[in-house]
């Protein structure tokens, strides 16, 4: 199975280095990997670089594919990216936007007819429990509804590498669970899912592996139990916190106070 490799990756935006020579453990297929860390840690920048939306230097490979050299068509055949928010001012109906995302696949992966494309797009909306939005204009939706549509656009092509940038930030608890269960299902079917998450409890509940970034550097990596520790929370987030299992054995992060952060690289 393919894996995502990030080696000595650097990203500079507006003359400022956001990520400097970052190397990550291989991110495998068949797993949900959460990228966590404080604001301005480089999480979204990293995801956008992997998606090819911003320039970067260094090694980026998905299986045998060199992402720095891959064509847009090759990327589109394997990778899907869900942004934090969809562009404003789009007056297409929701179903049309999902069909458009589906038809952006390489020619060999597209449905054979427009009717089949609409059928597949509607099936994705039903899977996400938002089929009631199908004929509504995208620019009239709430932030949470737009996030769900963004997920539909990302998964409609059944990508092998799914990149989710804060996919639950505008969602209520029910829809957060829906989104993460979809991510879990995609991974269980063989995809590599990489999600930027701010909620550590959500990350611990759904992710197989957690990568903690701070200042564009990797600070911790491993299972939720390995990556989320009181020492990491004090150093990276500047909080005194307890990490304890709940009655079902899932990690809880209980913050007691702020502490003076010590920056080390």
């Amino acid at each position: 199975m393919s894996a995502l490799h990030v080696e000595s990756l650097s990203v500079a935006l507006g003359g400022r280095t956001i990520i400097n020579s970052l190397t990550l453990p291989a991110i495998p297929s068949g797993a949900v990997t959460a990228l966590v860390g404080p604001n301005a840690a480089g999480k979204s920048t990293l995801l956008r670089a992997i998606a090819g939306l911003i320039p970067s230097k260094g090694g980026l490979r998905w299986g045998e594919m060199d992402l720095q050299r891959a064509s847009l068509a090759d990327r589109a055949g394997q990778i899907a990216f869900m942004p934090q928010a969809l562009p404003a001012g789009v007056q297409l109906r929701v179903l049309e936007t999902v069909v458009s995302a589906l038809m952006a696949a390489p020619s060999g992966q597209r449905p054979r007819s427009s009717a089949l494309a609409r059928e597949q797009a509607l099936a994705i909306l039903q899977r996400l429990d938002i089929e009631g939005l199908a004929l509504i204009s995208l620019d009239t939706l709430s932030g949470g509804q737009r996030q769900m549509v963004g997920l539909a656009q990302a998964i409609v092509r059944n990508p092998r590498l799914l990149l989710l940038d804060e996919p639950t930030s505008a969602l209520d608890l029910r829809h957060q669970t829906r989104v993460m269960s979809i991510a879990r299902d995609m991974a269980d079917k063989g995809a590599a899912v990489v999600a930027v998450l701010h909620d550590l409890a959500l990350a611990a509940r759904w992710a197989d592996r957690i990568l903690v970034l701070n200042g564009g550097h990797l600070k911790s990596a491993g299972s939720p139990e390995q990556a989320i520790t009181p020492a990491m929370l004090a150093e990276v987030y500047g909080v005194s916190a307890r990490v304890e299992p709940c009655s079902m054995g899932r990690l809880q992060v209980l913050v007691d106070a702020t502490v003076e952060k010590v920056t080390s690289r």
Side-chain angles (χ1 to χ4, degrees):
M1 298 178 71
S2 297
L4 175 66
H5 298 271
V6 178
E7 299 172 350
S8 300
L9 187 75
S10 296
V11 181
L13 298 173
R16 185 167 68 95
T17 298
I18 309 298
I19 295 174
N20 185 21
S21 194
L22 174 67
T23 296
L24 300 178
I27 297 175
S29 298
V32 177
T33 299
L35 293 177
V36 306
N39 294 336
K43 306 181 297 296
S44 294
T45 297
L46 172 60
L47 218 62
R48 291 168 64 205
I50 295 169
L53 300 176
I54 55 176
S56 62
K57 297 180 179 179
L60 275 178
R61 288 187 295 111
W62 167 242
E64 298 301 316
M65 183 188 299
D66 183 345
L67 295 180
Q68 300 287 27
R69 299 173 180 267
S71 67
L72 290 176
D74 286 341
R75 284 176 177 269
Q78 294 281 318
I79 303 170
F81 172 75
M82 175 187 170
Q84 292 181 22
L86 295 177
V90 177
Q91 297 182 356
L92 293 174
R93 294 178 178 181
V94 166
L95 183 60
E96 294 172 328
T97 69
V98 180
V99 168
S100 296
L102 179 58
M103 299 307 289
S107 57
Q109 298 178 15
R110 296 173 194 164
R112 294 186 298 274
S113 68
S114 58
L116 187 57
R118 288 174 63 85
E119 181 180 324
Q120 291 183 19
L122 183 58
I124 289 296
L125 296 180
Q126 291 170 338
R127 183 180 177 188
L128 296 178
D129 197 24
I130 56 171
E131 66 271 22
L133 303 178
L135 300 181
I136 298 177
S137 177
L138 187 64
D139 64 353
T140 65
L141 300 183
S142 70
Q145 289 172 327
R146 290 166 66 88
Q147 267 194 318
M148 295 298 291
V149 175
L151 179 60
Q153 293 176 352
I155 68 173
V156 70
R157 298 199 307 270
N158 194 30
R160 307 315 301 152
L161 174 58
L162 178 61
L163 307 173
L164 307 174
D165 193 2
E166 298 190 32
T168 61
S169 60
L171 300 181
D172 58 31
L173 292 176
R174 179 175 183 273
H175 286 94
Q176 286 182 18
T177 302
R178 171 78 66 172
V179 167
M180 296 310 299
S181 65
I182 291 290
R184 176 77 270 160
D185 183 60
M186 296 283 289
D188 289 345
K189 292 178 179 176
V193 180
V194 185
V196 171
L197 297 171
H198 273 291
D199 187 330
L200 293 180
L202 200 66
R205 164 68 179 86
W206 292 98
D208 301 290
R209 303 165 74 253
I210 292 180
L211 305 178
V212 182
L213 299 185
N214 190 29
H217 296 265
L218 180 66
K219 302 301 295 186
S220 183
S223 67
E225 293 79 9
Q226 292 169 327
I228 302 176
T229 64
M232 181 279 289
L233 293 166
E235 179 183 358
V236 173
Y237 287 89
V239 295
S240 174
R242 290 164 286 141
V243 181
E244 301 174 353
C246 71
S247 60
M248 297 184 67
R250 297 168 183 162
L251 288 190
Q252 299 179 99
V253 178
L254 307 172
V255 178
D256 297 313
T258 60
V259 297
E260 189 68 28
K261 287 202 295 184
V262 178
T263 303
S264 62
R265 296 185 178 178

